[in-house]
Amino acid sequence: SGKLQVRADYGSTVLLELDSADSEIVFDSVSPNIVIKFPNAKTTAMTTYDGMKYDLEITSGAGLITRPLKGTFKLDREITV
């Protein structure tokens, strides 16, 4: 399973959370790809746009947690609607 969280800073309130249980994180069984979907309903609710931090945690069936992705996160708002 997988979970991705975006926060303004370490230990602060979660601004965005994506989860494999909601099909927002999909593990491709054929290739080693991970597809992360950012639903419009979740990103439009965000009021912070730049300088955030994120990480992706993957939990194996045995309970081992790995963090293959981490870094800074910037939300680039759409101009044309």
Side-chain angles (χ1 to χ4, degrees):
S1 66
K3 180 166 60 172
L4 182 144
Q5 289 185 340
V6 176
R7 299 171 185 256
D9 206 349
Y10 299 101
S12 65
T13 303
V14 174
L15 301 173
L16 174 69
E17 182 170 287
L18 306 176
D19 198 307
S20 59
D22 297 328
S23 298
E24 297 161 337
I25 300 171
V26 179
F27 302 97
D28 189 326
S29 60
V30 177
S31 70
N33 293 332
I34 300 171
V35 177
I36 302 171
K37 302 174 185 179
F38 293 85
N40 186 50
K42 288 192 174 183
T43 59
T44 55
M46 296 178 70
T47 57
T48 303
Y49 307 112
D50 200 2
M52 298 171 281
K53 295 171 178 36
Y54 82 97
D55 68 3
L56 170 66
E57 288 188 347
I58 297 175
T59 304
S60 72
L64 177 66
I65 298 173
T66 57
R67 197 168 44 137
L69 295 173
K70 65 178 180 176
T72 57
F73 186 87
K74 179 180 180 180
L75 182 64
D76 189 10
R77 291 280 189 204
E78 177 180 22
I79 300 299
T80 305
V81 290

